């Protein structure tokens, strides 16, 4: 009797309480707006509508937005339930598997190049983009052999790749994609009932399919072999279920944009309560998904009482990223993480002599610097560059090459070198070949600090690097604290970094919208750029870290080799592990912060350069340090050169080009390891 009463009370609180909360949030949501409408008028507009401006405002503008939030939240939550069951991955959702980024990219491409195909709010385009992205992530992470960690990491990198491609298109086709920036961050803004009328039948179709397959999904949780033995066609069930999940996601994206983490938070709330059967799980998740999304929109309007439209996707990320971190730590404690090693490890395949590699790389960098100085809108002009350096060139050309192109290339060289060294240190300190300032959230923290310095505290440009360092330091302390709880397990720490980066990116999105930055300029800064950088950035942010920290690292880099042996062995050899780990990671954090202050958020340099260096000279960190520096500098010089020349006179942000190189490289390594 007690158990029956307890179950009844849980059901009443879950479903009855959830419904009551949804009604309350809907009422609060309708009462929010630029114009104050008395409470009695709102009730009258709902119960007894009249032909007045206030009643039309409530029924035509505010109510559709609230209803759209409920529909979208329910659809995303139901999609999350299906994806978690089919992939056997408690971390699966449309955002963590990259489906949102794929649908967004597909919609942007179609808007620019095939506008005739944007019929029915672009649902077909979004659906194709979503299903293609899921297939890519599923295959790259090992398909049926994929672990939760590997699948989410593949989703993260695919998200980086599609986000970079989307940013390029938005920068160069700003007019064609006008209005897509806010939509791309997730917004419930509705001007009439069209969005609700379009999405409701399609979401209902997706939910009907999900409920129809609920018993089959229950069987899937027992394992593929058991489901097959019970007469179930596992492949067909998975295929149709995934189609339903992607349909629910793509319908939502086509109306309100990519809103992340709802499909992660709501299903886990219901699972924590104790529901495992898919009928109550789908109903409860859809109900509480509506609560999460509607509550996030209410919170967005409370945070910004001016109603300048904070992206609700940023608010759900602020809520959902700590939830992701908690889930990862919970998986670690329960021992659910099947993968204890790293996703990849750099192995020496050439093992070349340091005395051969270093001079060759130095010569290649000098040659690239010259090519960079000689390249511009008029193509490659080596004689002009030579005359400017050694000949009798006129003052204008000499000034143009020596004071614009040369310092910009040097900024790229030093920034790349600093980021590469930062990545090398993090990989050694955390014993994590996936560690990189951007992957574990340090770059995101530096970006938050820099933006807050510029737009919140409104201080002079002198304080921007200080803000970047403070932001990076705060995020670094969070990473280290969480890393200690995860015992610095490589892949778990990478997942924690995804959550931390998402949290920082959400704050950055909010700051960008609040500060009224132009879309192109905001995307350019967020992507990282060497555009218009010169001697000032080189002297203020980049020279002194090289002078101060690199000689120090030459003496202490051996400690990374000792740390790689494991904490117990390192302690046995007399190393103060915690102290050394903190000091070295602090140096890496400050290096990354200096780079962000100079060129913005550029990722993957700190990931790629150490890996390539290991392929060339082995794993000894004393040998890796100079080679990694040179490779990082070379990579960013190349990115800077192509950013100026590929689509001249237009420019592609250097950070986007690095991501376009780094993401496929990372995915190739994952695929190679999975095979």
């Amino acid at each position: 009797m007690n158990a029956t009463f307890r179950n009844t009370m849980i059901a009443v609180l879950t479903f009855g309480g959830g419904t009551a909360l949804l009604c309350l949030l809907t009422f609060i949501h309708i009462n929010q707006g630029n114009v104050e409408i008395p409470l009695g008028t709102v009730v009258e507009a709902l119960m007894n509508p009249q032909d007045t401006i206030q009643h039309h405002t409530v029924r035509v503008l505010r109510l559709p937005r609230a209803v759209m939030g409920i529909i979208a939240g329910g659809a995303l939550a139901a999609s999350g339930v299906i994806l978690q069951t089919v992939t056997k991955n408690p971390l699966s959702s449309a955002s963590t598997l990259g489906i949102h980024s794929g649908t967004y990219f597909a919609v942007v491409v179609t808007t620019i190049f095939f506008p005739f195909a944007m019929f029915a709010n672009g649902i077909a385009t979004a659906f194709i983009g979503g299903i293609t992205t899921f297939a890519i992530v599923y295959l790259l992470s090992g398909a049926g052999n994929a672990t939760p960690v590997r699948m989410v990491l593949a989703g993260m990198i695919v998200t980086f790749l599609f986000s970079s491609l989307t940013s390029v298109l938005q920068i160069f086709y700003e007019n064609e994609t006008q209005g897509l920036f806010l939509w791309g961050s997730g917004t419930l803004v509705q001007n009439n009932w069209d969005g609700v009328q379009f999405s409701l039948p399609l979401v209902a179709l997706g939910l009907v399919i999900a409920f129809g397959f609920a018993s089959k999904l229950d069987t899937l949780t027992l394992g593929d072999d058991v489901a097959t033995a019970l007469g179930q066609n596992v492949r067909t069930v998975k295929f149709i279920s995934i189609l339903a999940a992607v349909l629910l996601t793509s319908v939502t994206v086509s109306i309100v944009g990519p809103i992340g983490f709802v499909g992660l938070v709501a299903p886990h709330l219901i699972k924590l309560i104790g529901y495992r059967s898919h009928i109550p799980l789908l109903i409860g998740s859809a109900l509480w998904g509506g609560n999460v999304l509607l509550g996030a929109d209410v919170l967005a309007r409370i945070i910004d009482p001016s109603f300048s439209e904070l992206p609700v996707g940023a608010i759900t990320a602020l809520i959902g990223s700590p939830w992701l971190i908690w889930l990862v730590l919970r998986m670690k404690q329960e021992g659910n993480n099947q993968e204890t090693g790293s996703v990849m490890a750099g192995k020496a395949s050439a093992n070349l002599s340091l005395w051969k590699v270093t001079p060759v790389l130095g010569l290649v960098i000098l040659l690239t610097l010259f090519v960079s100085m000689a390249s511009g809108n008029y193509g490659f002009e080596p004689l002009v560059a030579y005359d400017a350096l050694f000949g009798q060139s006129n003052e204008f050309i000499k000034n143009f090459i020596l004071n614009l192109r040369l310092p910009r290339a040097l900024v790229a060289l030093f920034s790349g070198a600093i980021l590469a060294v930062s990545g090398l240190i993090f990989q050694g300190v955390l014993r994590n070949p996936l560690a990189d300032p951007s992957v574990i959230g340090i770059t995101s923290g530096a970006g938050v600090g820099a933006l807050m310095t510029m737009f919140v505290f409104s201080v002079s440009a002198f304080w921007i690097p200080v803000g970047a360092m403070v932001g990076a330091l705060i995020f670094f302390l969070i990473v280290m604290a969480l890393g200690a709880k995860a015992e610095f397990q490589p892949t778990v720490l990478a997942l924690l970094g995804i959550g931390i980066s998402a949290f920082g990116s959400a704050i950055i999105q909010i700051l960008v919208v609040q500060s009224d930055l132009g879309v192109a300029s905001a995307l350019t800064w967020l992507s990282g750029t060497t555009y218009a950088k010169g001697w000032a950035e080189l002297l203020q942010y980049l020279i002194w870290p090289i002078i101060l920290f690199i000689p120090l690292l030459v003496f202490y880099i051996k400690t990374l080799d000792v740390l790689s042996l494991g904490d117990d062995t390192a302690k046995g050899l007399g190393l103060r592990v915690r102290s050394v780990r903190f000091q070295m990671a602090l140096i890496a954090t400050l290096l990354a912060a200096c780079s962000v202050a100079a060129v913005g958020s550029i990722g993957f340099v700190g990931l790629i350069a150490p890996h390539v260096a290991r392929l060339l000279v082995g794993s000894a960190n004393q040998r890796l340090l100079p080679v990694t520096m040179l490779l990082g500098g070379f990579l960013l010089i190349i990115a800077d050169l192509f950013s100026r020349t590929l689509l001249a006179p237009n420019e592609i942000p250097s950070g986007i080009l690095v991501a376009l190189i780094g993401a496929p490289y990372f995915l190739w390594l994952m695929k190679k390891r999975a095979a």
Side-chain angles (χ1 to χ4, degrees), residues 287-478:
L287 177 62
W288 282 91
N291 277 320
V292 169
L293 188 50
L294 207 57
D297 205 35
V298 169
L299 182 60
R301 293 163 147 205
I302 292 173
I303 293 172
D304 181 17
S306 68
F307 299 100
S308 61
E309 291 304 338
L310 284 183
V312 70
I315 304 299
T316 58
L318 286 178
I319 299 168
S321 50
W323 192 271
L324 174 62
I325 291 168
W326 177 78
L327 282 174
V328 171
L329 291 174
R330 186 165 174 259
M331 282 176 58
K332 173 69 176 65
Q333 290 169 358
E334 293 177 354
N336 290 337
N337 179 31
Q338 304 168 28
E339 188 166 352
T340 56
S342 61
V343 168
M344 58 189 128
K347 296 180 180 178
S349 57
N351 208 16
L352 301 173
S353 167
L354 185 64
W355 302 109
K356 292 180 180 177
V357 173
T358 307
V360 170
L361 283 175
L363 288 173
V364 169
I365 287 174
L366 288 175
L367 179 62
T368 309
L369 280 172
F370 180 77
V371 172
S372 180
M373 286 189 290
S375 302
N377 293 347
Y378 298 103
F380 181 53
E381 301 174 306
L383 294 178
V384 173
Y386 182 84
D387 286 341
L389 289 170
F390 307 109
Q392 300 297 319
S393 178
N394 66 67
E395 284 301 314
F396 175 79
I397 296 298
K398 183 175 287 190
N399 180 68
F400 186 76
I401 290 177
L402 297 183
N403 290 323
L404 290 177
R405 289 184 185 172
L406 176 60
R408 173 173 170 165
L410 290 175
V411 165
L413 172 65
F414 280 75
S415 293
I418 284 174
L419 282 174
V421 172
S422 178
L424 176 66
I425 297 172
F426 275 124
Q427 289 173 21
V429 165
L430 304 177
R431 298 199 307 276
N432 182 357
L434 298 175
D436 164 82
S438 60
V439 172
I440 63 173
I442 303 300
T443 302
S444 182
V448 170
L451 273 177
M452 290 191 74
T453 303
M454 285 188 279
F455 303 116
V456 177
F457 301 111
S458 300
V459 295
S460 67
F462 172 80
W463 295 99
I464 292 175
V466 176
M469 287 180 189
V470 171
L473 186 60
I474 292 171
F475 276 52
F476 157 72
L477 293 173
I478 295 171

Side-chain angles (χ1 to χ4, degrees), residues 144-207:
N145 298 320
T147 62
V149 168
R150 187 184 299 279
M151 191 171 286
V152 176
L153 287 174
M156 175 194 73
I157 301 303
V158 167
T159 297
F160 279 159
L161 179 60
F162 280 132
S163 297
S164 298
L165 291 169
T166 303
S167 296
V168 170
L169 294 174
Q170 286 183 294
I171 288 168
F172 288 109
Y173 296 92
E174 189 173 7
N175 293 331
E176 289 84 348
T177 59
Q178 194 170 16
L180 287 182
F181 182 72
L182 180 61
W183 174 85
S185 302
T187 177
L188 296 179
V189 174
Q190 302 291 308
N191 295 320
N192 49 46
W193 286 95
D194 289 351
V196 173
Q197 291 171 351
F198 170 78
S199 61
L200 187 57
L202 291 170
V203 169
L205 174 62
L207 291 175

Side-chain angles (χ1 to χ4, degrees), residues 329 430 478-489 493 496 578 581:
L329 291 174
L430 304 177
I478 295 171
V479 169
M480 294 300 286
L482 294 172
K485 283 191 175 184
E487 299 174 0
F488 295 102
Q489 187 174 315
L493 191 60
L496 294 174
R578 289 198 172 187
R581 177 175 278 134

Side-chain angles (χ1 to χ4, degrees), residues 6-7 9-11 13-15 266-276 281 284 288 330:
R6 179 177 175 275
N7 291 337
M9 289 304 298
I10 288 174
L13 289 173
T14 303
F15 300 102
H268 279 285
L269 278 174
I270 307 304
K271 288 177 182 177
L272 285 172
I273 292 170
Y275 289 102
R276 292 294 182 270
L281 190 56
W288 282 91
R330 186 165 174 259

